[in-house]
Amino acid sequence: METVFLISHKEYYFYPYEDACLQITKNTRRYYVIARLCSTFGLALPKWCWDRNAIPEEVKTIVITDAVFQPSLYKALKKEYHDKRFVLYHMNLLRGYNRCFRSYCSEAYTFDQSDAEQFGIAYRHTPYTDRIRKMDCAIETDALFLGRDKNRLQKIRQAKQTLEAAGLRTRFYVYETKDAELRMDSYMSYEDYLDQVMRAECLVEINIPGQSGCSLRFLEALFFRKKLITDNAAIRQDPWYRRENVYILGEEEDRPLQEFIKTPYSSEGLDLSELVFSNWLHGFE
């Protein structure tokens, strides 16, 4: 492979299904303390803190996600692989803690169109894998949500109330929240989450404040032919948006949710090849 994608947790999302997704650092408290201390003092991360053997010799481009980016790690990588091209890809909004990353890595992209315009960096759509096969399962719920609190608990509660008031069967799982009704105390593996996805009619997307870029929920909905219920009005500008498949909360009072669910899924003109992770990654070459 000529391009790799550095991530923080190999077990997260679709990463286990893609060989080019590499985790080269540990996720221990000790590692983060060392990485941040080295970053604070302008030092490169010690070689024993990351796996140099994980990156194949033939790699020409290293794409680093903001989730794993540390100035100290970047300096260590640049020192070890001085002949490689480095690209930063923001999978999160540009906020105080990660906005400075661009001062280290000059070539940067973001998943969020609004951030791209505001901060003057390039935009690239969120990708997904085509290596997970859709299973035929009996539908057990109408609307499924899984996510962390991320200062959007009130929006999550309102969405759940709106869906249930419309007669929909809901399953909402929220990490790191004090809400006893929504709280999920133990981590759900992505494989177990996908099992829930296959048994749901629709996926629910609640963006964090200020986010206009689509989350992985939209990609999962596209690749598994599930409908999406979202609060992201900007999704109308997404090339893969289809009104038959997407319901925007708070903006479609004239369209009953029950009617939306019963309308057949439309795949007309939905070519997902550009979003397939392997193709998307080749786009950096």
Side-chain angles (χ1 to χ4, degrees):
M1 65 183 78
E2 294 189 357
T3 306
V4 293
F5 192 69
L6 302 189
I7 41 88
S8 59
H9 296 74
K10 179 67 175 180
E11 70 272 19
Y12 281 8
Y13 314 126
F14 61 85
Y15 302 153
Y17 302 91
E18 296 289 347
D19 294 337
C21 293
L22 303 181
Q23 177 184 331
I24 65 170
T25 62
K26 298 183 182 297
N27 293 310
T28 62
R29 179 177 176 80
R30 183 187 182 199
Y31 165 73
Y32 287 114
V33 169
I34 293 172
R36 288 168 184 168
L37 278 174
C38 289
S39 295
T40 299
F41 292 102
L43 303 174
L45 192 68
K47 292 182 178 180
W48 55 268
C49 284
W50 57 284
D51 185 2
R52 291 177 294 155
N53 298 320
I55 300 178
E57 291 183 6
E58 66 271 18
V59 167
K60 297 179 181 178
T61 300
I62 299 174
V63 182
I64 313 174
T65 61
D66 62 320
V68 72
F69 192 98
Q70 284 282 342
S72 57
L73 173 62
Y74 179 72
K75 288 183 177 182
L77 289 168
K78 286 284 287 184
K79 185 177 181 180
E80 184 75 18
Y81 305 108
H82 54 85
D83 59 336
K84 311 293 186 187
R85 172 185 170 216
F86 288 86
V87 178
L88 171 63
Y89 182 66
H90 283 275
M91 300 187 72
N92 300 283
L93 293 179
L94 275 76
R95 294 297 180 259
Y97 79 98
N98 64 1
R99 197 180 299 176
C100 67
F101 294 168
R102 292 174 57 211
S103 64
Y104 296 91
C105 194
S106 58
E107 188 174 357
Y109 296 82
T110 175
F111 83 107
D112 191 277
Q113 185 72 59
S114 296
D115 269 7
E117 296 171 0
Q118 181 178 352
F119 298 104
I121 65 175
Y123 165 78
R124 289 208 69 184
H125 200 287
T126 310
Y128 198 67
T129 185
D130 62 347
R131 297 184 178 181
I132 305 172
R133 295 291 168 253
K134 183 179 183 298
M135 298 178 292
D136 291 326
C137 300
I139 299 300
E140 298 176 355
T141 188
D142 296 318
L144 171 69
F145 174 84
L146 173 72
R148 288 183 167 82
D149 189 324
K150 292 185 176 180
N151 298 317
R152 53 181 174 164
L153 181 58
Q154 188 58 35
K155 294 171 68 177
I156 294 171
R157 285 174 176 158
Q158 290 174 350
K160 187 173 187 291
Q161 292 170 0
T162 297
L163 300 182
E164 291 178 349
L168 272 61
R169 299 167 295 170
T170 67
R171 286 186 183 176
F172 274 54
Y173 303 100
V174 183
Y175 292 120
E176 301 169 351
T177 180
K178 296 179 180 179
D179 189 310
E181 181 183 354
L182 298 173
R183 184 176 64 236
M184 183 168 59
D185 294 320
S186 59
Y187 175 76
M188 182 186 295
S189 70
Y190 195 62
E191 185 176 342
D192 288 342
Y193 165 69
L194 288 177
D195 182 66
Q196 297 263 9
V197 169
M198 304 305 174
R199 300 175 190 280
E201 196 74 58
C202 303
L203 304 184
V204 179
E205 175 189 70
I206 304 296
N207 276 358
I208 64 175
Q211 178 179 327
S212 62
C214 67
S215 71
L216 279 175
R217 300 294 90 92
F218 182 40
L219 277 297
E220 291 159 353
L222 286 171
F223 277 75
F224 301 128
R225 295 171 58 85
K226 298 288 181 178
K227 293 196 172 185
L228 183 77
I229 298 172
T230 180
D231 69 340
N232 181 16
I235 202 169
R236 290 193 180 97
Q237 279 70 57
D238 193 286
W240 289 272
Y241 165 82
R242 299 293 183 274
R243 187 173 187 273
E244 300 91 336
N245 304 336
V246 179
Y247 184 96
I248 301 175
L249 288 166
E251 300 212 356
E252 303 196 49
E253 288 81 358
D254 60 331
R255 183 163 57 144
L257 273 162
Q258 289 283 2
E259 178 182 307
F260 165 72
I261 287 179
K262 292 176 182 177
T263 303
Y265 184 93
S266 174
S267 57
E268 184 177 354
L270 279 178
D271 180 2
L272 305 182
S273 58
E274 189 177 330
L275 301 177
V276 172
F277 178 77
S278 56
N279 299 335
W280 180 87
L281 197 63
H282 286 318
F284 288 105
E285 296 174 359

